[in-house]
């Protein structure tokens, strides 16, 4: 056992010793200057959505996905996301190695004798989104070219590097961009389907076990899943909702396992992991809205009575509806808290890990010794943060389910009057039973 640990330690030490030289060389341009890294761009590229799924350890290659858009004239178009980028290979003059980069290229389609051009936008409003290029009239084209020339002189830049606000330049021509309706199968959309399939398969494995083995306790993976189901159901759902637990358990347990699976898949580098679903506020917003609808649609009369006419002094609710405003405002703050809590925690965890890894490349400008020290520290902290994120993935799924259960439970209260009527009816029935 001791010799194994020695071999592992020597292997890790060798990686740390040889990594600085490699990283230092890759941070140089062809003219010998240090290449400046856009840390913000790298972070949000990894955390954001995309029209292709990055191939592990070779992000210049991507698994193509279908792009489905509705053009400005209402026509629908579908094409592969592989057509949106082309691979450009350049040779580094210092190292002599080939470097691969992806550059956006226009996709030209013909339908009914009309041409449609789509491209990945570089503008701030639609960055990295598919837009349709709308051609300019001849006089407008000339005005934009003159404006670009004046900007090139004023900014002392080559004409090819000048961006005219509101226009996009492709193959020497200027266009305006139109944001089409986009129903593409992006990385996050595909990851949602993968998560749903995995959750279904996990739950069906437990169902199949009980069908085959009657009431015998499951083992291995099915037994672990049943343990988690009982922990969440008995510890959170049943203890909060009581006799109404079976009514809401299917939704709450589905939400728990769906969020947990999304969180864990986001920590995996290779396909089908790597999609930052719960770090996408659109996904967490939809989950929060499901709890919002479940809470308010299934709410009791007493719940709505306490919102619209609460038991407070009359001057707090009439003539100025102060308490009603506060209660209605609280209806919307609850799902907002669910949405932001899950999004912020998962996004923050991914961002910390990526930042720690990028520190290795950032400190490359300070020499091999600095890179070596930062590599050791960054690697250790990255492993620690990934291990912590596994725990956080479970905690955030648990917290979302617990808060959803509490919100639903508050909307299921019958009130004191209903309870008194219930006890009175029970007391009246007792003598009749004895009689």
């Amino acid at each position: 056992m001791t010799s194994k640990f020695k071999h592992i330690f020597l292997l890790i030490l060798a990686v740390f010793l040889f990594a600085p030289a490699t990283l230092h060389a890759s941070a140089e341009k062809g003219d010998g200057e240090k290449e400046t890294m856009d840390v913000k761009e790298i972070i949000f590229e990894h955390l954001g959505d995309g029209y292709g799924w990055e191939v592990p350890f070779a992000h210049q290659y991507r698994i193509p996905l279908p792009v489905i858009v509705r053009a400005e004239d209402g026509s629908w178009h579908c094409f592969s996301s592989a057509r949106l980028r082309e691979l450009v290979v350049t040779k580094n003059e210092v190292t002599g190695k080939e470097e691969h980069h992806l550059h956006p290229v226009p996709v030209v389609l013909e339908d009914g004798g009309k041409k449609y051009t789509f491209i990945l936008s570089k503008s701030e409003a639609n960055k990295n989104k598919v837009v349709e290029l709308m051609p300019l009239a001849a006089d407008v084209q000339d005005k934009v070219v003159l404006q670009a020339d004046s900007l090139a002189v004023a900014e002392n830049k080559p004409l090819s590097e000048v961006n005219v606000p509101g226009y996009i330049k492709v193959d020497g021509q200027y266009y305006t961009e139109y944001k089409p309706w986009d129903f593409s199968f992006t990385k996050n959309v595909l990851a949602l389907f993968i998560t749903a399939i995995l959750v279904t398969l996990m739950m069906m494995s437990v169902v199949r076990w009980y069908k085959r083995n009657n009431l015998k306790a499951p083992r291995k993976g099915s037994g672990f899943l049943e343990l988690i189901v009982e922990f969440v159901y008995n510890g959170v759902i049943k203890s909060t909702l009581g006799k109404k637990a079976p009514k809401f358990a299917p939704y709450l347990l589905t939400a728990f396992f769906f969020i947990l699976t999304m969180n864990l898949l986001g920590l995996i580098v290779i396909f089908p992991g790597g999609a930052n679903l719960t770090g996408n506020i659109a996904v967490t917003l939809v989950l929060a809205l499901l709890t919002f609808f479940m809470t308010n649609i299934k709410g009791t009369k007493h719940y709505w009575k306490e919102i619209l006419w609460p038991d407070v002094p009359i001057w707090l609710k009439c003539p100025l509806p102060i308490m009603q405003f506060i209660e209605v405002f609280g209806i919307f703050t609850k799902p907002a808290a669910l949405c932001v809590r899950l999004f912020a925690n998962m996004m923050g965890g991914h961002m910390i890990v990526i930042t720690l890894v990028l520190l290795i490349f950032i400190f490359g400008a300070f020499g091999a010794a600095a890179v070596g020290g930062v590599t050791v520290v960054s690697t250790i902290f990255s492993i620690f943060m990934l291990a912590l994120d596994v725990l956080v993935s479970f905690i955030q799924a648990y917290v979302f389910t617990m808060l959803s259960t509490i919100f639903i439970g508050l909307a299921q209260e019958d009130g004191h009057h209903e309870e008194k009527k219930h006890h009175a009816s029970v007391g009246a029935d007792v003598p009749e039973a004895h009689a």
Side-chain angles (χ1 to χ4, degrees), residues 150-211:
S150 60
L151 286 173
V153 174
E155 298 176 3
N156 194 22
K157 290 182 178 179
L159 188 60
S160 58
E161 297 181 6
V162 173
N163 295 320
V164 181
Y167 299 93
I168 182 171
K169 187 178 182 181
V170 178
D171 297 332
Q173 297 291 319
Y174 286 93
Y175 302 85
T176 56
E177 60 182 33
Y178 168 77
K179 181 67 175 70
W181 290 10
D182 196 343
F183 294 89
S184 305
F185 272 76
T186 60
K187 180 172 70 172
N188 283 354
V189 173
L190 180 58
L192 283 172
F193 280 100
I194 293 173
T195 303
I197 293 171
L198 288 177
V199 172
T200 304
L201 292 175
M202 287 190 298
M203 295 302 103
M204 291 306 297
S205 67
V206 180
V207 173
R208 285 195 301 270
W209 172 272
Y210 280 113
K211 283 185 176 180

Side-chain angles (χ1 to χ4, degrees), residues 24-36 92 94:
H24 186 72
S26 63
E28 293 185 353
K29 288 183 176 180
D31 55 2
E33 296 179 359
K34 298 296 180 183
E35 183 177 2
T36 57
N92 192 309
V94 176

Side-chain angles (χ1 to χ4, degrees), residues 229-383:
V229 170
E230 288 188 356
F231 173 75
V232 176
Y233 181 78
N234 294 325
V236 178
I237 301 174
K238 190 175 181 179
S239 62
T240 303
L241 298 177
K243 62 181 181 180
K244 295 185 178 181
K247 182 179 180 180
F248 298 98
Y251 163 69
L252 293 170
L253 286 171
T254 301
F256 173 81
F257 281 101
F258 193 69
I259 294 172
L260 178 61
T261 306
M262 285 192 295
N263 291 345
L264 295 177
L265 282 178
L267 300 178
I268 302 173
V269 178
I270 60 175
F271 181 86
N276 184 31
L277 285 176
T278 45
N280 187 323
I281 198 166
V283 175
T284 59
L285 177 61
V286 171
L287 292 171
L289 285 176
L290 291 175
T291 296
F292 170 78
F293 291 130
M294 185 70 68
T295 301
N296 293 284
I297 292 175
K298 296 293 184 179
T300 61
K301 293 180 180 179
H302 175 75
Y303 167 74
W304 286 107
K305 184 259 179 188
E306 286 297 317
I307 291 174
L308 301 177
W309 197 256
D311 292 330
V312 294
I314 191 68
W315 59 272
L316 287 174
K317 54 187 177 182
C318 184
L320 293 177
I322 300 174
M323 287 304 299
Q324 288 93 327
F325 175 78
I326 294 174
E327 292 292 341
V328 171
F329 183 72
I331 292 177
F332 296 97
T333 56
K334 291 173 184 176
L338 284 176
C339 169
V340 175
R341 178 189 294 271
L342 181 59
F343 161 74
N345 281 282
M346 298 312 300
M347 170 69 84
H350 287 283
M351 193 172 292
I352 290 173
V353 173
I354 295 174
T355 304
L356 287 171
V357 174
L358 286 177
L359 284 177
I360 301 172
F361 300 92
I362 294 171
F363 276 84
F366 296 97
V371 177
V374 173
T375 300
V376 176
V377 176
S378 296
T379 303
I380 293 174
F381 275 98
S382 297
I383 295 173

Side-chain angles (χ1 to χ4, degrees), residues 134-146 173-174:
M134 310 300 294
L136 302 176
D139 56 339
V140 179
Q141 185 78 228
D142 295 337
K143 290 180 181 179
V144 177
V145 171
L146 290 175
Q173 297 291 319
Y174 286 93

